[in-house]
Amino acid sequence: MTVADRITTNDNLMLSRAILLYEDENQKRCAATINPVQIAPQRAPQLLPGRLLGAAELVEVLQRLSAAPLARQVLPERLLYFDSAVMLWWLPACQRPLHFNTKEVKQVSGKPVCHPPLLFKAEPGALFVFALEQNHRPTDATPLFVAPYFNLYRDGKMCRGNVALPEALSPDVEEFACWEKAFFETYFTHSNDGMRCAHPKGHNVMWQELASDPKALFRAEWLLPTKLTVRDLLKIKEKPERGEL
């Protein structure tokens, strides 16, 4: 099923069913029904009696609307969390080329360097990157550190520039590679948040040192702490006021 994110006059879509939500005054209990809609010439659509939707059916409806895979599958070890709006995964410390388009470190652009373990948070069309202090699978209480790279805002969000990021989420390992490729193959040009690391000689010298020695390891003491944990990245935004979408 292809899910449309907008409806135009050229779309051959017809109203067929309606989902009605019921909730108490305190919004602590809710229920949903699915109701057929009767379409007749020269008359407004008529809502017919419906039936109660169970939790499993609601989940399936949300999966269909999000275009998420319906098949059950074993999740990859690197995946920490997945739903139609957010995906979290981590990448162990590794050696990969880093690309720069700034004169201070352009001479090391494209050379392999050792990276710290990283945590990625993806939303449709957006990528957030954080660093990890220890090279093992994080838990929800694991503290996050500033990812020591240019092109990242204070909240860890990557400045897209001309980078094409996936517009949908999938828990497949191949999907991780697409997001990571977009990050590592971008050309880092500028800092969006001042100091990105605690290296005594700064960001530029840190990457120059790592690029000059293929065996050099990234040291955790060079990371700047944030006030966030993995759990904080999964917090749901406050509920909208009644009547708002």
Side-chain angles (χ1 to χ4, degrees):
M1 173 184 289
T2 301
V3 180
D5 57 5
R6 62 182 62 88
I7 299 177
T8 69
T9 55
N10 295 325
D11 290 315
N12 187 26
L13 299 176
M14 298 180 60
L15 179 62
S16 63
R17 292 175 291 175
I19 295 177
L20 304 182
L21 300 179
Y22 301 82
E23 55 190 6
D24 62 12
E25 293 183 356
N26 298 321
Q27 295 184 311
K28 292 184 177 180
R29 298 184 69 247
C30 65
T33 63
I34 185 164
N35 300 65
V37 176
Q38 185 178 68
I39 306 294
Q42 308 302 320
R43 289 178 53 186
Q46 183 178 358
L47 192 65
L48 301 179
R51 63 177 178 82
L52 193 65
L53 270 179
E57 289 180 294
L58 280 172
V59 169
E60 184 176 346
V61 169
L62 291 174
Q63 286 179 314
R64 288 184 178 275
L65 289 175
S66 67
L70 295 177
R72 293 176 178 174
Q73 55 187 299
V74 176
L75 298 179
E77 187 275 339
R78 290 207 286 130
L79 183 66
L80 303 176
Y81 179 85
F82 174 82
D83 65 27
S84 60
V86 175
M87 180 169 66
L88 254 63
W89 74 99
W90 77 291
L91 176 69
C94 62
Q95 190 175 70
R96 298 179 66 154
L98 200 58
H99 304 277
F100 292 97
N101 192 19
T102 175
K103 63 180 181 180
E104 292 82 5
V105 279
K106 194 170 185 178
Q107 69 273 19
V108 303
S109 182
K111 294 184 178 180
V113 294
C114 185
H115 299 266
L118 299 174
L119 184 138
F120 294 91
K121 174 187 176 181
E123 299 175 354
L127 180 64
F128 300 77
V129 187
F130 298 89
L132 299 170
E133 185 178 30
Q134 298 181 356
N135 195 31
H136 58 68
R137 193 177 195 273
T139 69
D140 61 346
T142 298
L144 301 178
F145 292 77
V146 176
Y149 306 94
F150 284 164
N151 296 25
L152 298 177
Y153 294 103
R154 184 177 295 271
D155 62 355
K157 187 175 183 179
M158 178 183 174
C159 177
R160 290 182 58 165
N162 62 351
V163 174
L165 295 176
E167 294 296 333
L169 305 181
S170 169
D172 296 328
V173 174
E174 291 80 4
E175 188 77 2
F176 300 168
C178 292
W179 291 93
E180 292 167 6
K181 177 182 173 69
F183 177 71
F184 284 113
E185 294 190 3
T186 189
Y187 277 83
F188 295 98
T189 59
H190 60 284
S191 173
N192 291 334
D193 184 31
M195 291 294 294
R196 302 299 306 177
C197 70
H199 188 284
K201 295 184 180 180
H203 169 277
N204 294 344
V205 172
M206 179 185 71
W207 290 117
Q208 289 169 355
E209 290 180 356
L210 289 170
S212 66
D213 183 0
K215 297 182 180 180
L217 300 178
F218 193 100
R219 297 165 63 175
E221 63 193 62
W222 295 340
L223 296 174
L224 292 172
T226 72
K227 297 180 180 180
L228 301 174
T229 65
V230 174
R231 182 187 301 113
D232 293 320
L233 299 186
L234 296 177
K235 287 183 177 178
I236 299 175
K237 295 180 181 179
E238 293 184 6
K239 294 183 66 175
E241 296 294 328
R242 292 178 65 88
E244 295 184 0
L245 296 178

